[in-house]
């Protein structure tokens, strides 16, 4: 497979992941899938030298990580009831 085909597949995969993430009811799944899409967009943006695409998606990926950490910390701090 040519490099241009591979990078196009990465770009399409990123778009699909972001679109699917926005259909999630569960915020944790939304953040995980959106993070994956953003990461793919960063790879895509760097490869085609589209720095605004790479930069903005890197920023959004960091926001997703921040919120995922917050979600998991909150879940781990909840008391266990029998």
């Amino acid at each position: 497979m040519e490099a241009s085909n591979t990078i196009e597949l990465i770009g399409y995969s990123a778009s699909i992941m972001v679109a699917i993430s926005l259909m999630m009811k569960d915020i944790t799944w939304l953040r995980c899938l959106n993070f994956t899409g953003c990461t793919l967009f960063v790879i895509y943006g760097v490869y085609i030298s589209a720095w605004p695409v790479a930069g903005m998606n890197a920023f959004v990926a960091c926001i997703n990580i921040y919120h995922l950490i917050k979600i998991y910390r909150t879940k781990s701090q909840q008391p266990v009831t029998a």
Side-chain angles (χ1 to χ4, degrees):
M1 185 181 296
E2 287 184 25
S4 62
N5 288 342
T6 302
I7 200 62
E8 285 180 21
L9 284 174
I10 291 172
Y12 286 124
S13 299
S15 296
I16 290 167
M17 291 301 287
V18 170
I20 291 172
S21 77
L22 296 174
M23 291 186 263
M24 296 293 111
K25 288 183 182 180
D26 181 354
I27 192 69
T28 304
W29 269 108
L30 183 149
R31 296 272 181 205
C32 288
L33 292 174
N34 195 272
F35 171 75
T36 304
C38 288
T39 303
L40 290 171
F41 266 130
V42 170
I43 294 166
Y44 176 76
V46 168
Y47 188 83
I48 66 167
S49 298
W51 305 115
V53 171
M56 188 276 300
N57 279 284
F59 177 70
V60 174
C62 290
I63 291 170
N64 282 317
I65 290 294
Y66 169 79
H67 284 291
L68 284 168
I69 289 170
K70 232 169 94 170
I71 288 167
Y72 284 112
R73 281 187 181 163
T74 302
K75 283 183 181 179
S76 69
Q77 292 175 356
Q78 291 177 350
V80 177
T81 56

